[in-house]
Amino acid sequence: MPHHLVSIADLEAVEIIRILDHADAYWSLASEPIKKLTSLRGRTVINMFFENSTRTRTSFEIAAKRLSAEAINISASASSTSKGETLLDTADNLEAMFPDCIVVRHSFGGAAAMLTKEVSCAVINAGDGQHEHPTQALLDAATIRRNKGKVEGLEIAIVGDISHSRVARSNILCLAKLGARVRLVAPWTLIPRGIELIGGDLTRERVRVVTRLDEGLEGADVVMMLRVQHERFEGEAPRFPNTRELSRTFGLSERSLAYAKPDAIVMHPGPINRGVELSPQVADGPRAVILSQVSWGVAVRMAVLERAILGPEAWPAARPAAA
Ligand code: ASP
């Protein structure tokens, strides 16, 4: 039975911790001269990306190769969808070549879930529209755990375009499940009404909406900045007067970062719009862990690929670790 990964909503906290523990083991592999394991030898992973990606696609490919799987990349422009083929027909055709796992990114929220009904191999969601980006939330949790020693009990501010962000949705669920408190910080127009209920009672208790940057950052242990996803605004009424004004009121500078705890870390899923949501001083400063998030992306995706193809049963008993 494949272990799909479509949504953080489908994972219990213990399963999240198990994935993070296994990612910990793969983290140290990055500093070895030979970065190769053999657990997925002879397996085939197809990365099917219908939206742009730098970090996610590359790290899935590296992760598959580090586990000795064959990794094949297909992008929208190079696939037959640009000739009118449907997503399901494309998936059926790929399935006929017997891959072990399809990693999919698509602008349609629900694309990965739809594929799980169509194909018999494992499916991993690498971002579906505005819905979820589960591996981003897992690598974010791994980064926080490494820098703060835990996730439980931390105050985490997610700042920016919450409305269009699948990263925010996956992170809200993941961080709440791991016992953090989350503030969603943005103008009202960039926060969907009722988002704090996305995970039912759990998120109702742990998530709050704050519409001022200073209040949202006050005492935060982690500040996670989001890009304004202009590509998702098409056909919508303007949500803020202009980017400069949004940047002035909700952008993170050294001055606004001072509201957070003195040892707060700064995160961003990338791509960064320098000078918009994040000043270059903060982006390149000592408190930014943005590149470390990218490194964790490989380790976490190795764990996720192994879990999807082999199942968590193949893993040795998880080491006990703080969430
Ligand atoms: N890379 C992230 C995503 O794919 C965030 C972003 O694009 O701003 O959702």
Side-chain angles (χ1 to χ4, degrees), residues 55-56 105 133 136 166-167 227 229 231-232 268-271:
R55 282 151 289 270
T56 307
R105 167 170 288 191
H133 192 350
Q136 177 72 46
R166 54 194 176 205
V167 173
R227 177 178 70 90
Q229 309 217 335
E231 72 275 20
R232 300 201 198 285
H268 194 302

